[in-house]
Amino acid sequence: MKLSSHDMLKRRFVAFALLQAFLLCLAIFLSINYFGSAIWEKRDAVGLILASPKDAPGWPREMAQGLQKACNERSFNLYIEDNVNSDDNSLARVTENLVNKGVKKIFLANPGYQHNLEAIARRYPQVEFYANSVGETISDRMFNYSMRYYEVRYLAGMLAGLHSQTGIVGYLAPFPALETRQDVNAFALGVLKVRPEARILVQWTGQWISPEKENKALYILKHEGADVITYFAASQHPAQEAAALGLDYIDFHGAGLKTPPHCLASIETNWQQVYGKLLHINGHKTANKVYWQGILDDVITLRLAPNLSPREEALVLRARQELLQGYPVFSGNIVDRDGHVRCQEGEVIANNSLREKMDWLVKGVEIIETR
């Protein structure tokens, strides 16, 4: 059947419209793949180096997600290198990879990395390196960042002391490093504030992540009579194991309150805000190399479980309000395990001493040796 001139014109119009749509889609595709990728490559780039898988529950995942959100706010590219061993040449290799991608700021999650970073930092003077530690400033070529976790550890200690039925509380941590002792001492001061006769048992695991050693440490703490524990570790495994053992615990990671009923509270870090501030820094124009943020900066908090007793909740919230009003945790009469007076009534331990000189533990802390 012969088409009329009207039908022929209609078909030509449809074909022309389809051709236009195809060409438009092709142009968009080419723009995204060529011009878009060029724009992406020209964006400022940031790197994060993790010792664990970036999706591992706990510290690694929380840091990675927080930095990603901070980068998204500023249209920065983020490149993550995970499972990086700090004891071999892996750090140098992944740093070179990041630099080749145009990274100008590199954040290190593991506090142990900075000991191997001096030589690497000398090779890349155009790159700003941020070591996750303020206790040991290894080089003036690096920035140091961390949280004043001792503030929330103090609150956690109060809660543990109030909640314990045995008067014995446990603390699991990897190493007796400066910042770890700082946190243990603050926790102990919190416990003793509400329960002067309490015992604070500390068990070192020797590693940031070691389910086997963490399980053994928790078993020992329970065997010694501890019924409330807290911990400092990269993963959330100690919390899960504590619950399995029937121990009440204060979590070090934000997801803790999702696992009732044994979780009393969780220490939460707003990594998006932490990294947002660090991304704003122009390292070539600032002389400040140490960034130590805390409760007053609204980057850390102790989030309480809803099933606490009214007394527990009231006393912890009141203490938190005192911290917000400037109450210094390390103040007043403080004696160490050897009987030495570290602070007297009316005195406050200075910031530099907290960061660099806390090589002692508060009286009342007991180190439980692994048998």
Side-chain angles (χ1 to χ4, degrees), residues 93-207:
R93 175 180 53 77
V94 300
T95 300
E96 184 178 8
N97 290 342
L98 292 172
V99 173
N100 289 338
K101 293 176 180 177
V103 167
K104 294 297 187 293
K105 284 178 183 278
I106 295 179
F107 295 97
L108 300 109
N110 189 337
Y113 283 137
Q114 63 264 33
H115 293 281
N116 300 326
L117 198 58
E118 172 67 17
I120 298 174
R122 289 182 180 278
R123 290 172 56 190
Y124 307 108
Q126 77 279 16
V127 177
E128 298 172 16
F129 292 90
Y130 292 79
N132 184 13
S133 173
V134 298
E136 297 177 274
T137 304
I138 306 299
S139 169
D140 59 4
R141 295 178 180 272
M142 289 179 251
F143 294 84
N144 294 77
Y145 73 100
S146 188
M147 307 313 114
R148 294 178 181 267
Y149 282 123
Y150 69 86
E151 295 174 334
V152 285
R153 294 289 189 187
Y154 171 74
L155 299 178
M158 290 186 65
L159 177 57
L162 290 166
H163 193 80
S164 174
Q165 299 298 310
T166 65
I168 304 173
V169 300
Y171 197 116
L172 182 152
F175 316 101
L178 283 167
E179 289 175 90
T180 309
R181 288 194 293 266
Q182 180 189 105
D183 287 358
V184 169
N185 283 340
F187 179 78
L189 290 175
V191 173
L192 298 172
K193 176 85 171 180
V194 298
R195 197 129 178 204
E197 78 286 358
R199 297 172 62 200
I200 301 98
L201 310 184
V202 175
Q203 179 88 64
W204 309 119
T205 64
Q207 290 181 292

Side-chain angles (χ1 to χ4, degrees), residues 6-71:
H6 175 74
D7 290 334
M8 289 287 292
L9 185 62
K10 185 177 179 180
R11 286 195 173 190
R12 288 176 182 175
F13 177 79
V14 171
F16 181 70
L18 290 173
L19 179 61
Q20 280 187 315
F22 171 77
L23 292 175
L24 179 61
C25 291
L26 180 62
I28 292 173
F29 174 80
L30 292 175
S31 296
I32 291 173
N33 282 272
Y34 293 97
F35 298 105
S37 61
I39 292 172
W40 174 267
E41 290 171 359
K42 290 180 181 179
R43 294 166 66 183
D44 288 337
V46 174
L48 174 65
I49 299 178
L50 297 165
S52 312
K54 62 183 178 181
D55 295 323
W59 194 349
R61 184 167 63 189
E62 291 172 5
M63 296 178 83
Q65 290 177 348
L67 182 53
Q68 183 65 72
K69 291 176 181 177
C71 287

Side-chain angles (χ1 to χ4, degrees), residues 328 330-332 334 342-343 347-354 358 360:
F330 291 100
S331 62
I334 301 176
R342 296 292 180 169
C343 190
E347 295 181 345
V348 176
I349 298 180
N351 273 340
N352 64 331
S353 293
L354 289 182
M358 192 159 281
W360 49 272

